[in-house]
Amino acid sequence: QVQLVVSGGGLVQAGVSLSLLCAARGRTSSINAMGWYLQAPGVQLNLVANITSRCSADYSDSAKGRFTISRDNAKNTVYLQMNSLKPEDTAVYYCHAERISGGIKYDYWGQGTQVTVSS
């Protein structure tokens, strides 16, 4: 099993920066991709950014140019630096990790953290 412990988030004003951190605990040796998803009220879960174990990153169109995902494999930790925040970034952010073992893919989710951006 893998446990994902999330920290960061909060209430900020538009234009400022905020960072999120997600630390993986447990069976971390087979973790492949890690990433962040968001869920706004009444909206489905959407990818924000994803990063592989080789640090290849993908971003949503909304996140490109403003957010940076990074990863410390030694610490089994993924970070999301969010700059130039907008009110539309307001959502619950979830950390995700994918582990592949024996040809089976396992998905793990951290607890959500609220990010609220006021105008």
Side-chain angles (χ1 to χ4, degrees):
Q1 291 292 330
V2 173
Q3 298 81 43
L4 301 176
V5 180
V6 175
S7 60
L11 171 63
V12 296
Q13 290 189 325
V16 303
S17 300
L18 196 63
S19 61
L20 305 179
L21 180 155
C22 174
R25 301 285 184 262
R27 304 182 73 172
T28 59
S29 61
S30 300
I31 289 178
N32 180 23
M34 297 183 75
W36 295 93
Y37 288 72
L38 65 80
Q39 187 166 35
V43 181
Q44 67 181 21
L45 201 64
N46 286 311
L47 175 72
V48 177
N50 191 64
I51 187 167
T52 68
S53 57
R54 296 187 178 186
C55 296
S56 174
D58 291 306
Y59 296 90
S60 67
D61 288 341
S62 176
K64 284 178 185 175
R66 298 189 301 127
F67 295 4
T68 302
I69 189 170
S70 60
R71 179 170 177 168
D72 186 334
N73 287 328
K75 296 181 179 179
N76 298 305
T77 300
V78 64
Y79 307 90
L80 185 68
Q81 177 65 37
M82 303 183 288
N83 298 329
S84 303
L85 282 163
K86 305 175 181 178
E88 49 263 44
D89 295 320
T90 295
V92 178
Y93 285 69
Y94 294 91
C95 178
H96 170 261
E98 172 191 279
R99 184 174 73 91
I100 298 176
S101 178
I104 300 174
K105 185 170 77 73
Y106 300 87
D107 292 292
Y108 301 93
W109 296 92
Q111 80 275 18
T113 186
Q114 178 71 46
V115 173
T116 303
V117 185
S118 63
S119 57

